[in-house]
Amino acid sequence: YPLKFIPNARIPAKVEHHPKQIILLTCDAFGVLPPISKLTKDQVMYHFISGYTAKVAGTEEGVKEPEATFSACFGAPFLVWHPFVYAEMLAAKLDKYGASAYLVNTGWVGGPYGSGKRCSLKYTRQLIDAIHDGTLANLPDSEWEEMPVFGLLMPKNGIKDVPREILRPEDAWKQSGKSAEEFKKTAAMLAGLFQKNFKDFSDKCSPAVRDAGPRQQ
C-alpha cells in the first residue's frame, strides 16, 4: 500500500526533528484507566515495559470476554535485550529533547466491556489534538490530579469538548449507575495483573521504575 495513496501523506515519510510529545496507546476493556494521563519519566518506563492492552471479542479468534494482555515495549517478540534497556533509551531521549509523554486509552468508559461503552472516537481525537496543540502542556500542575491505585495524573476538568466525567474513570462509573466500590474492585483486579506481569522484569529495573506502577490500597 504505497504512501502516495494516502491524501496529504508526507513523502518521504521523515522529519528533521525529534518528537515533542510521546504517546503510549492502550485499549483498556475494564474501564479503569483514564482516556488521557500525563506520565512522569518513571511511569513512561513502567508502562512502556508493561505494554498493556486488552483483547476483546471480535479482535481475535476465540476471544469472548475481555482479556488483559501484556507485551513488553509493545513488541515483546522482537526484543533482543531486557525491556529495561529499551525503556532507559526512551527515557534518555525524553530528557535530551524535553519531550512530554502521555498514556492514551481508547478503551471503555463507565464500566467494563459489556456494561460500559467504548470511548468515543470524537473524544479520543480531541485529546490527541490537545496533546499536539499544547493545550495539555499549558495546564498548570493544579489542574492535574493523581488517580488512586494507578497513580496516573488525570485532568481535573474537561478538555476541549471532552466532559470531565469521561476523563475521570470512577466518576464515569458512577454516572452510568455503578458504585464506587465496583470501580475500586475492578481497579484492584487490574492493578494485580500489572503487578503479576511486572515481576518478570522488576529484578533489573530501578526502584523508581518499580514504584511507578499501580499500588494496592
Side-chain angles (χ1 to χ4, degrees):
Y1 191 91
L3 283 179
K4 65 182 181 181
F5 286 10
I6 303 173
N8 300 320
R10 179 189 290 269
I11 300 175
K14 63 180 182 179
V15 294
E16 301 301 323
H17 59 270
H18 287 268
K20 298 181 179 68
Q21 302 91 15
I22 298 296
I23 299 171
L24 302 186
L25 188 64
T26 188
C27 175
D28 174 29
F30 300 100
V32 171
L33 299 182
I36 184 78
S37 311
K38 183 169 70 169
L39 302 177
T40 66
K41 183 183 78 171
D42 293 323
Q43 285 175 332
V44 172
M45 296 175 72
Y46 181 92
H47 285 278
F48 185 56
I49 291 170
S50 296
Y52 165 70
T53 191
K55 300 176 183 178
V56 294
T59 59
E60 293 194 31
E61 187 176 356
V63 176
K64 295 182 173 58
E65 295 292 331
E67 179 183 331
T69 183
F70 297 87
S71 182
C73 304
F74 300 96
F78 308 102
L79 303 186
V80 176
W81 297 312
H82 189 283
F84 186 64
V85 174
Y86 300 98
E88 283 190 311
M89 290 180 183
L90 175 58
K93 291 289 187 182
L94 293 176
D95 277 344
K96 183 175 181 179
Y97 297 102
S100 53
Y102 300 89
L103 178 65
V104 171
N105 170 31
T106 64
W108 272 252
V109 295
Y113 174 85
S115 61
K117 60 182 180 180
R118 190 79 185 261
C119 186
S120 168
L121 181 58
K122 175 183 69 174
Y123 291 155
T124 298
R125 283 174 171 162
Q126 292 207 13
L127 293 173
I128 297 297
D129 286 345
I131 293 173
H132 288 150
D133 68 17
T135 298
L136 294 182
N138 292 330
L139 285 181
D141 291 344
S142 60
E143 285 297 310
W144 296 91
E145 182 177 350
E146 186 175 297
M147 176 189 182
V149 181
F150 279 82
L152 297 168
L153 290 175
M154 55 187 182
K156 285 185 176 180
N157 297 296
I159 301 296
K160 295 185 181 289
D161 293 330
V162 186
R164 178 181 187 274
E165 60 273 11
I166 293 292
L167 299 173
R168 305 170 64 80
E170 187 173 335
D171 291 350
W173 280 55
K174 291 177 184 177
Q175 189 182 57
S176 64
K178 300 174 182 63
S179 67
E181 289 69 29
E182 288 178 290
F183 172 78
K184 290 173 182 175
K185 181 179 179 181
T186 305
M189 178 276 297
L190 183 59
L193 295 179
F194 267 87
Q195 291 167 338
K196 180 181 178 181
N197 171 74
F198 209 77
K199 286 179 181 178
D200 292 337
F201 313 112
S202 60
D203 61 322
K204 289 185 170 60
C205 293
S206 68
V209 171
R210 290 198 297 268
D211 292 343
R215 303 174 294 275
Q216 298 282 17
Q217 294 184 325

